[in-house]
Amino acid sequence: MKIKHMISTIVFGLLVCSAGLYASEPAKEGTLSVTITPGASWKTERDPQFAVWVEKADGTYVTTLYVTQRAAKKNWLFAPKGGRPESLPVWYHAVGSASVVAKAQPDQSDTDALTSATPGAAGDVRKSARLSAGEVYVVKVEVNHSFDYNESWPKKAKKGSAQYSGVNGQPSVVYAGTLDMRSAGSGTNYADVRTALVPAGTGAVDGRDGNLHDDLGKLTTALQIVGKAEAAWSAAE
């Protein structure tokens, strides 16, 4: 009995040590790249506003890869007195509306690297950031056009009605995709991980909250701003 107990103790001790060594292994770092292909409605009379960011599976904000300069600095032309919270409401609520650029990426000292004018429609938009493996991440893109009216959100809608959107027109569209990085962050097999970003919902048309709303069926041209979006993570060499 004593020998069996001793053997069991040794085996258990080895398992604990192995688990400890595995847990202490640092998560593999790599580059997360998000590619957005402009759609038919990307470039109209006005440029789209959009943001690209990462959250954990539980909704915890991680980092922002990119946000258009006008949306980040809230430098709107002919904006109402209350500003434009409806432009990118899901992203605004994710990072907090005050000091948006500073909160978007705390270790980002060069805000010009995080924000810029809206890229043109000539080719794909590619943005990237460093990201550690070992977690489940959700990559999101929110995009919006001002004055993008349709039958569900008409220009002549009366203030206070369910159809009223101010200068917003159709609400923002949020694209999302899940990157399961747990297998990419263990052992020695650091395979690339990728996902397509698909429409997950809309932002609040009046910017009142950061929730996803089920208004996709009412959208028209708003669903044509982005042609395709995808995210890919590659391990660092």
Side-chain angles (χ1 to χ4, degrees), residues 6-22:
M6 185 181 298
I7 292 173
S8 298
T9 303
I10 292 171
V11 171
F12 178 74
L14 288 172
L15 289 173
V16 170
C17 289
S18 298
L21 288 171
Y22 179 80

Side-chain angles (χ1 to χ4, degrees), residues 118 151 159 166 228:
T118 305
E151 290 185 359
K159 190 172 184 178
K228 183 175 69 173

Side-chain angles (χ1 to χ4, degrees), residues 3 18 25-26 31 44 46 48 58-59 66 69 80 84 89 95 136 140 153 157 171 176 185-186 190 194 206:
I3 293 175
S18 298
E25 181 183 339
T31 300
T44 60
R46 291 170 180 81
D58 62 2
Y66 176 82
Q69 195 172 71
R84 290 289 318 285
V95 300
V136 177
K140 293 182 177 180
W153 293 279
S186 61
Y190 297 112
R194 62 181 60 246
D206 57 0

Side-chain angles (χ1 to χ4, degrees), residues 42-131:
W42 179 269
K43 186 71 174 178
T44 60
E45 292 182 7
R46 291 170 180 81
D47 293 326
Q49 301 302 316
F50 70 97
V52 184
W53 76 101
V54 182
E55 298 176 358
K56 291 184 179 179
D58 62 2
T60 302
Y61 172 81
V62 177
T63 190
T64 291
L65 279 68
Y66 176 82
V67 60
T68 43
Q69 195 172 71
R70 192 174 297 284
K73 297 184 178 181
K74 300 184 178 180
N75 182 24
W76 304 109
L77 297 174
F78 312 112
K81 186 176 181 180
R84 290 289 318 285
E86 74 279 7
S87 58
L88 300 174
V90 180
W91 180 75
Y92 278 135
H93 280 80
V95 300
S97 58
S99 303
V100 170
V101 173
K103 287 188 177 183
Q105 200 168 32
D107 59 348
Q108 179 69 59
S109 57
D110 182 7
T111 57
D112 288 338
L114 181 64
T115 68
S116 68
T118 305
D124 292 351
V125 179
R126 293 186 176 89
K127 300 298 175 184
S128 61
R130 302 292 287 179
L131 191 69

